[in-house]
Amino acid sequence: MQHGGFFDLAVYGISKEGADALKQLATDMSALNNDIQECGKKLTTKISGLGEGLGIYEEQILELVAGVNQTQEKGRESVELLTNKVKKMAADVEAMVSAGLA
């Protein structure tokens, strides 16, 4: 099943409520993306703060967290593209509702 076209809109309903649900989905995706990035930064700071207490493992742990943060940063753009597509779908639903197609 392919996503991204007119038929996906039916999942949310061609209605004001459907458009609102799509807008909320876009907002939630964006917020989650930001939260993941912020949590990665906080984790790095927390681990760095523990420093000596982690002994020989500090550097290895920081490298692992840096790898996760780097992967998240690469995926960030994809989530932003998806968020923009969902916003477009919401606008399409609103246009259909305004045109009396719902």
Side-chain angles (χ1 to χ4, degrees), residues 8 11 14 18-19 23 26 28 30 34 62 66 76 80 92 94 99:
D8 291 333
V11 173
I14 310 293
K23 287 179 188 177
D28 292 347
S30 184
N34 291 335
L62 285 172
R76 181 173 190 75
E80 288 173 358
D92 291 347
E94 287 177 326

Side-chain angles (χ1 to χ4, degrees), residues 25-40:
L25 176 61
T27 298
D28 292 347
M29 289 187 320
S30 184
L32 285 170
N33 209 23
N34 291 335
D35 288 350
I36 291 169
Q37 184 177 31
E38 186 60 32
C39 287

Side-chain angles (χ1 to χ4, degrees), residues 9-83:
L9 295 176
V11 173
Y12 286 92
I14 310 293
S15 64
K16 180 186 179 328
E17 293 79 13
D20 290 345
L22 285 166
K23 287 179 188 177
Q24 186 60 54
L25 176 61
T27 298
D28 292 347
M29 289 187 320
S30 184
L32 285 170
N33 209 23
N34 291 335
D35 288 350
I36 291 169
Q37 184 177 31
E38 186 60 32
C39 287
K41 289 177 183 177
K42 286 180 183 177
L43 182 57
T44 299
T45 301
K46 181 85 167 173
I47 293 167
S48 295
L50 295 174
E52 297 285 324
L54 296 173
I56 62 172
Y57 301 107
E58 178 187 8
E59 187 176 327
Q60 292 173 356
I61 294 169
L62 285 172
E63 286 175 9
L64 289 170
V65 172
V68 170
N69 290 344
Q70 207 170 27
T71 300
Q72 188 278 331
E73 189 58 38
K74 288 179 185 174
R76 181 173 190 75
E77 185 177 325
S78 296
V79 174
E80 288 173 358
L81 288 171
L82 182 57
T83 299

